[in-house]
Amino acid sequence: MSSELTNVFAAKMLPQRELFSPGHRACQGCAPALVMRYMLKALGPDTIICNSTGCMEIISSSYPESAWGVPWIHVAFENSAAVASGVEAGLKALMRKGKIPQRRITVLAQAGDGGSLDIGLQAISGALERGHDMIYLCYDNEAYMNTGIQRSSGTPFGASTTTSPAGARSFGQSTWKKSLAEIAVAHHIPYVATASVSYPFDFMEKLKKADAVRGPALVHVFAPCPTGWRCPSELAIRLGRLAVQTAAFPLYEVVNGKYRITQNVPHLKPLRVYLESQGRFRHLTDDLIDELQQGLRERYAALVAKAEASQE
Amino acid sequence: MGTRIGKEVSIGIAEAAMMADVDVVSAYPITPQTHVVEHLSELVADGHLDAEFVPVESEHTAMSTCCGSVAAGARTFTATSSQGLALMHEILFIASGMRLPIVMAVANRSLSAPISIWNDHGDVMAERDTGWLQVFVENGQDAYDHILWAFRVAEDHGVLLPIMVNFDGFIVSHVVESLEEWSPEEVRRFLPPYDPPYRLDVDNPWTFGPVGIPDIYLETRKAHDEALLGAKATMVKAWSELADVVGRQYYPVEQYKADDADIVFLSMGGISETCMTAVDELREAGKKVGLVRLRLWRPFPFDEVKAALGGRKVIIAIDRALSTGGPGGPVASEVKAALYGLETRPQVIEFIAGLGGRDVTVGDFKQMYEKGAAVAAGGPVPGYELLGVRA
Ligand SMILES: Cc1ncc(C[n+]2csc(CCOP(=O)(O)OP(=O)(O)O)c2C)c(N)n1
Ligand code: SF4
Ligand SMILES: [Mg+2]
């Protein structure tokens, strides 16, 4: 089916079945929990999830309850990519040796920004480099939320967190968001994409593409966290849109090294409209907002240049 | 019966894993484990073993990958040593807590600092409480047999626990020994295919590794402890099945010329072989001395230890690791704990021997014996001694 068709009819065509059940323990307005739901609508029941420690693990699996309608395994914080490597290798060997029937099963590893960009980066790099047929999904809520909103290397410049607090001598996070997608591209894998919970059909289509390739694929999906961002819970989806429209989180995909911007934003909105409803940015001065906006626009321009170069 | 040939012990261990028809091997190289995994990757490359060899980027990932593959239903093997085992530490608890029957060969080596590639038991003693089954072997035949036995035990539905087969780095791992390999028919009779009661199955989805709130955590620990203690019966049964198939009988605690001995050495691992030579020579000189070897370390064989050591005058306990700032050696501590409830307790003198690959000779055992004899004659019981340490 062509991608245009999916976009037009997607809402009606989505499976009714909820493989990520309601009744889990996520906060109101939690966008990462929506990511889980969309993820399984896109991938379907023949999927095995390897989950890192973090909000999505903790809210979904309090024994004896489980929100998961597919096989699911949580081992530790930093190693879901490694666990998925093992699941994939195990299934491959068992199928080749005729011990279980041949069948296409999707193996997906997932973690938050902390479990991906910081403590889990080595395991991801190893898994991508070894070429396992798996999807790695990072849901990015821009801090360690499970442990109380500490900074990660995915926290944006200027954001106040519990370990990058704004104060008399601090304007909050002083470093720039690490780019997981670029790191993945450097592994020369067939498919890399950024996505957003606020563009659900684009996200699901990207997951399907990630699933269709043989070999590793990585999807980095933006997912606002009202609790950690100190914003009203009903704004989560709007903030995801504004992040794209202000170039705070551009959406693109890299297929066999070729860049394509999947949500073009010819006229970027001023960054202020994205920042103003979020408590984590409340302390920022005009100068700092300008510095952040300029940095984001430079990065976006570089991305546009890469996409144009890919068309040549 | 299988064939008997001269073979490096590490190669034998790899070939035993091949005979077990492992599905996944995930490992990271570290001396002195390297020959085991190099040979396994060769066996895969040459088509002798149909398995996925996952050449991971760290031991943390090796153990994590093993968790994934065994949960997927694949028979899984790995091997490591020292720093590598230490790097796995976090995941070792999770593998056992999730009841994932991984078989791991550990070529025992000392821990840094200072960095040392040579043999002692410091690495595995730091992992004593990880909830794994743990056995020690003494020689190549022992090692080969115990790889097959380990799969038989770990994967038993009444057990479902990971297991470490400890073999001493270099002094066992790199030695060429006469080895009787099993025939495929013997393996088939002894080791059934891995048939996990739970696996990551899309037709029957299970949640593995959920959150344990205070209301349930305690019960899971109790269940784990019971599983570990209860595994001994299966281990003993599997040892007698092994004897039926290949004619070699192993026990949790084994004795050598100890029947009438007032003074016994107590040891674990490859050093026992040197000790046996010392016992032979001391016996020739008319001394009533023997050797008791611990093969099983976890679950700790309390009853067998009491039966083997109760009623002796003096036990010369030999440890290959030091609990720094603590009571001396872990083996001696646990043996003393096992004997504490006896009405007449033997005296225990402790030696920490061969740390970081320092040689332990027959002469050293004779000196230890003299110190034990002095205690048996009514002399004071000395504190633990680091054997051969220079002042
Ligand atoms: C080795 C280890 N270090 C630290 C922790 C504590 N910890 C658990 S989850 C977490 C943060 C998770 O952050 P992220 O991956 O961004 O996921 P989120 O909670 O934001 O969804 C931390 C620090 C841990 N469980 N394991
Ligand atoms: S803290 Fe944030 S990510 Fe975690 S459950 Fe709540 S809203 Fe979701
Ligand atoms: Mg996070």
Side-chain angles (χ1 to χ4, degrees):
Chain A
M1 185 182 306
S2 82
S3 59
E4 289 84 334
L5 265 182
T6 319
N7 275 329
V8 174
F9 298 113
K12 272 190 195 154
M13 287 166 42
L14 281 182
Q16 298 286 311
R17 190 163 164 205
E18 299 295 352
L19 291 165
F20 182 71
S21 321
H24 52 70
R25 289 160 164 75
C27 314
Q28 256 187 17
C30 174
L34 263 183
V35 167
M36 302 297 110
R37 184 170 172 233
Y38 294 149
M39 167 179 86
L40 286 179
K41 288 210 183 272
L43 298 177
D46 287 355
T47 304
I48 296 174
I49 306 288
C50 307
N51 211 142
S52 283
T53 313
C55 270
M56 289 309 101
E57 168 260 335
I58 223 95
I59 59 106
S60 66
S61 75
S62 202
Y63 183 88
E65 289 158 6
S66 171
W68 299 95
V70 295
W72 181 91
I73 182 169
H74 159 248
V75 176
F77 182 24
E78 64 284 61
N79 68 352
S80 59
V83 175
S85 303
V87 173
E88 186 258 8
L91 294 177
K92 198 165 157 189
L94 291 174
M95 286 183 197
R96 188 176 61 231
K97 294 167 93 168
K99 295 185 181 177
I100 58 172
Q102 286 281 348
R103 174 169 174 183
R104 182 107 173 93
I105 292 173
T106 301
V107 179
L108 181 141
Q110 61 145 330
D113 46 299
S116 303
L117 288 162
D118 296 335
I119 201 166
L121 194 57
Q122 174 180 325
I124 297 173
S125 177
L128 299 184
E129 177 271 330
R130 288 189 300 271
H132 296 281
D133 188 9
M134 60 179 261
I135 305 174
Y136 187 86
L137 180 136
C138 167
Y139 67 90
D140 187 356
N141 54 14
E142 301 199 313
Y144 302 160
M145 296 311 177
N146 182 45
T147 38
I149 327 177
Q150 295 87 12
R151 62 123 17 216
S152 77
S153 58
T155 300
F157 178 89
S160 182
T161 70
T162 55
T163 53
S164 65
R169 289 167 177 232
S170 162
F171 60 85
Q173 177 94 339
S174 61
T175 54
W176 288 79
K177 189 176 177 69
K178 202 190 271 179
S179 171
L180 182 61
E182 298 306 310
I183 293 168
V185 169
H187 288 75
H188 309 289
I189 59 173
Y191 189 78
V192 178
T194 65
S196 168
V197 70
S198 305
Y199 297 81
F201 303 114
D202 175 73
F203 167 49
M204 288 186 275
E205 194 174 297
K206 283 171 175 166
L207 267 182
K208 284 184 175 164
K209 286 186 191 170
D211 194 22
V213 299
R214 296 280 160 157
L218 181 139
V219 179
H220 180 187
V221 53
F222 192 77
C225 161
T227 307
W229 295 11
R230 303 188 186 110
C231 68
S233 56
E234 68 274 18
L235 290 190
I237 301 305
R238 189 181 307 165
L239 286 174
R241 281 196 176 273
L242 287 172
V244 173
Q245 291 162 354
T246 57
F249 196 88
L251 300 187
Y252 62 100
E253 65 183 7
V254 188
V255 183
N256 295 317
K258 298 270 187 218
Y259 284 71
R260 184 173 77 88
I261 295 180
T262 51
Q263 198 65 43
N264 271 305
V265 192
H267 304 292
L268 292 171
K269 288 189 176 164
L271 188 63
R272 274 184 183 70
V273 300
Y274 171 59
L275 304 183
E276 62 196 4
S277 58
Q278 302 182 50
R280 61 178 178 156
F281 294 118
R282 189 170 296 145
H283 59 283
L284 287 187
T285 60
D286 286 347
D287 284 352
L288 282 164
I289 292 176
D290 289 345
E291 188 180 341
L292 176 54
Q293 175 166 293
Q294 195 190 330
L296 292 173
R297 289 187 176 194
E298 280 166 13
R299 282 166 173 70
Y300 189 63
L303 176 66
V304 171
K306 275 189 196 171
E308 281 168 359
S310 292
Q311 282 184 342
E312 279 158 15
Chain B
M1 215 183 24
T3 43
R4 177 174 284 284
I5 41 167
K7 199 159 260 189
E8 187 188 318
V9 174
S10 293
I11 304 300
I13 287 176
E15 291 182 356
M18 173 185 72
M19 293 306 286
D21 190 31
V22 291
D23 301 309
V24 174
V25 177
S26 178
Y28 191 81
I30 180 167
T31 305
Q33 152 266 36
T34 39
H35 293 183
V36 177
V37 292
E38 286 169 4
H39 193 57
L40 275 164
S41 70
E42 261 169 39
L43 292 170
V44 172
D46 292 342
H48 300 304
L49 169 63
D50 188 359
E52 286 296 303
F53 183 87
V54 190
V56 288
E57 83 295 337
S58 77
E59 287 88 353
H60 193 283
T61 286
M63 187 42 59
S64 303
T65 305
C66 288
C67 288
S69 60
V70 84
R75 178 168 284 171
T76 298
F77 180 77
T78 187
T80 193
S81 293
S82 179
Q83 306 307 122
L85 186 64
L87 191 56
M88 289 179 180
H89 177 75
E90 181 199 23
I91 309 304
L92 296 179
F93 287 89
I94 302 174
S96 64
M98 288 173 68
R99 310 287 299 271
L100 300 171
I102 299 157
V103 174
M104 173 157 69
V106 182
N108 300 119
R109 159 183 157 180
S110 48
L111 283 171
S112 290
I115 190 164
S116 156
I117 59 167
W118 293 276
N119 165 244
D120 66 33
H121 293 173
D123 57 359
V124 63
M125 287 305 154
E127 311 305 335
R128 188 178 56 168
D129 294 336
T130 51
W132 283 52
L133 303 169
Q134 301 179 22
V135 289
F136 282 77
V137 301
E138 287 170 17
N139 57 47
Q141 188 67 60
D142 220 348
Y144 184 100
D145 291 348
H146 278 86
I147 296 301
L148 291 155
W149 171 87
F151 284 107
R152 164 71 185 81
V153 171
E155 296 170 357
D156 188 286
H157 285 199
V159 176
L160 291 177
L161 283 166
I163 182 164
M164 288 180 208
V165 178
N166 290 284
F167 64 116
D168 289 285
F170 294 115
I171 64 170
V172 176
S173 67
H174 283 51
V175 174
V176 175
E177 288 192 17
S178 159
L179 201 72
E180 192 181 295
E181 297 180 321
W182 294 30
S183 68
E185 170 57 20
E186 286 165 339
V187 175
R188 201 191 54 71
R189 273 171 56 205
F190 177 72
L191 180 64
Y194 178 36
D195 173 27
Y198 309 100
R199 62 182 193 85
L200 294 166
D201 178 4
V202 292
D203 292 327
N204 190 10
W206 291 97
T207 288
F208 284 64
V211 179
I213 58 173
D215 202 37
I216 194 67
Y217 185 85
L218 177 61
E219 283 69 25
T220 66
R221 300 306 292 165
K222 171 76 175 163
H224 191 164
D225 193 38
E226 279 183 355
L228 219 71
L229 294 170
K232 193 173 74 183
T234 308
M235 294 172 132
V236 169
K237 183 163 167 272
W239 272 321
S240 69
E241 290 166 6
L242 187 147
D244 290 344
V245 175
V246 293
R248 285 178 291 277
Q249 176 71 59
Y250 300 100
Y251 300 97
V253 175
E254 293 170 4
Q255 304 196 14
Y256 181 72
K257 298 190 177 174
D259 282 352
D260 61 343
D262 300 327
I263 301 178
V264 292
F265 291 103
L266 173 82
S267 67
M268 202 161 73
I271 204 174
S272 307
E273 306 237 312
T274 317
C275 187
M276 282 189 243
T277 307
V279 167
D280 289 344
E281 292 182 12
L282 286 164
R283 282 270 171 188
E284 270 165 37
K287 316 286 185 193
K288 275 175 42 174
V289 63
L291 167 65
V292 172
R293 294 119 76 194
L294 285 186
R295 172 177 299 286
L296 179 57
W297 178 235
R298 281 293 180 277
F300 189 83
F302 286 99
D303 294 339
E304 292 82 353
V305 163
K306 276 189 257 185
L309 298 179
R312 314 281 183 184
K313 265 196 186 143
V314 174
I315 291 150
I316 305 168
I318 299 150
D319 257 291
R320 308 292 322 283
L322 172 65
S323 169
T324 34
V331 174
S333 297
E334 298 206 0
V335 163
K336 282 186 193 170
L339 300 179
Y340 188 77
L342 295 184
E343 243 162 59
T344 50
R345 292 194 290 269
Q347 299 288 3
V348 179
I349 63 169
E350 297 180 43
F351 294 92
I352 317 274
L355 289 193
R358 191 71 65 88
D359 262 349
V360 184
T361 63
V362 171
D364 290 325
F365 284 103
K366 289 182 175 170
Q367 279 184 23
M368 289 187 255
Y369 172 77
E370 291 308 326
K371 290 180 180 168
V375 171
V381 181
Y384 71 85
E385 177 182 332
L386 267 72
L387 188 80
V389 72
R390 288 187 299 275

